[in-house]
Amino acid sequence: QQQVKQSPQSLIVQKGGIPIINCAYENTAFDYFPWYQQFPGKGPALLIAIRPDVSEKKEGRFTISFNKSAKQFSLHIMDSQPGDSATYFCAASRTGGFKTIFGAGTRLFVKA
Amino acid sequence: NAGVTQTPKFRILKIGQSMTLQCTQDMNHNYMYWYRQDPGMGLKLIYYSVGAGITDKGEVPNGYNVSRSTTEDFPLRLELAAPSQTSVYFCASSSHQRAAYNEQFFGPGTRLTVL
């Protein structure tokens, strides 16, 4: 019920490609779905987030797609760059809750 | 603002030793968290606090203790270190005012090795 399942574990794309990272959740009480980006040796930082009342959110080259009925959401990185190489975590939490549940992470490498 | 700071950055402990990982935030956030990050396992919540004097267990609390005497500080204590506690530890904080969005701000991490 509390899990967030993330795939793939790792991903290699060419510069300009569109990596897609997928997540699935079980608890329908979740109503906030952030993505965090982590560079080597650093702590995670919020990249983009979505609430389930919308099906898509774009911020620059990053897009979250959300499918409430399937309880799935995904991150798309348009025109990926070597500087996007990082580990990406999806997560879920609920309004009024104190905890955020994180996926296992996807290590992305963008080849120059 | 420095944000969330953690000390030390690296530490090697011998089995059975104890240590305290320090965490301080200067954003006046009510909520603070300790996570451990193991390869391929994501972030596991160890303990969290919703305010000074209030702490609660997360997903993996065994072998750890916390205290929260001030809003700013949230130290994590390891008693009788074991090799299974080798990990990278992250402290994070979140504002009560932004609780509906629950954005967390992370420190730079402490890499701990227990030999």
Side-chain angles (χ1 to χ4, degrees):
Chain A
Q1 271 283 330
Q2 285 288 82
Q3 281 189 323
V4 176
K5 296 183 180 178
Q6 182 172 348
S7 62
Q9 191 171 358
S10 62
L11 193 52
I12 301 173
V13 299
Q14 294 285 348
K15 178 183 173 182
I18 306 175
I20 301 173
I21 304 170
N22 299 299
C23 285
Y25 64 98
E26 299 169 350
N27 188 346
T28 54
F30 290 145
D31 61 359
Y32 176 65
F33 300 91
W35 285 87
Y36 284 80
Q37 180 187 53
Q38 182 184 30
F39 292 107
K42 305 292 186 184
L46 181 66
L47 178 65
I48 185 174
I50 196 169
R51 300 188 77 89
D53 51 348
V54 297
S55 60
E56 186 177 276
K57 183 174 182 180
K58 290 183 181 181
E59 285 187 6
R61 295 183 294 106
F62 300 90
T63 299
I64 300 178
S65 298
F66 189 86
N67 186 330
K68 187 174 180 178
S69 61
K71 293 187 285 186
Q72 295 175 346
F73 57 110
S74 59
L75 177 70
H76 302 232
I77 305 176
M78 310 302 288
D79 187 27
S80 59
Q81 301 296 313
D84 297 329
S85 297
T87 298
Y88 293 82
F89 294 97
C90 63
S93 64
R94 63 177 180 83
T95 302
F98 304 126
K99 303 178 192 176
T100 296
I101 309 300
F102 287 87
T106 296
R107 183 173 289 187
L108 171 67
F109 181 68
V110 181
K111 291 183 177 179
Chain B
N1 286 351
V4 179
T5 57
Q6 292 181 238
T7 57
K9 284 186 169 46
F10 304 94
R11 184 73 185 268
I12 298 175
L13 282 182
K14 293 183 179 178
I15 293 172
Q17 287 186 320
S18 300
M19 77 164 292
T20 298
L21 281 66
Q22 301 292 344
C23 175
T24 299
Q25 53 91 10
D26 63 359
M27 297 174 283
N28 201 32
H29 285 172
N30 283 343
Y31 302 162
M32 294 188 74
Y33 309 84
W34 274 106
Y35 294 92
R36 59 178 287 170
Q37 182 178 25
D38 301 305
M41 299 297 289
L43 294 158
K44 301 294 185 184
L45 183 64
I46 304 171
Y47 271 96
Y48 67 99
S49 169
V50 301
I54 307 170
T55 63
D56 205 351
K57 296 178 181 178
E59 191 179 354
V60 290
N62 291 344
Y64 307 94
N65 273 302
V66 294
S67 59
R68 184 98 181 268
S69 57
T70 67
T71 299
E72 295 78 19
D73 301 308
F74 190 40
L76 177 71
R77 177 83 177 162
L78 278 72
E79 305 281 2
L80 299 174
S84 61
Q85 294 178 305
T86 293
S87 188
V88 181
Y89 292 85
F90 288 100
C91 179
S93 71
S94 180
S95 166
H96 175 73
Q97 279 70 39
R98 293 180 64 83
Y101 298 97
N102 212 12
E103 176 184 358
Q104 296 189 14
F105 296 82
F106 285 81
T110 294
R111 184 175 294 274
L112 175 68
T113 302
V114 182
L115 300 173

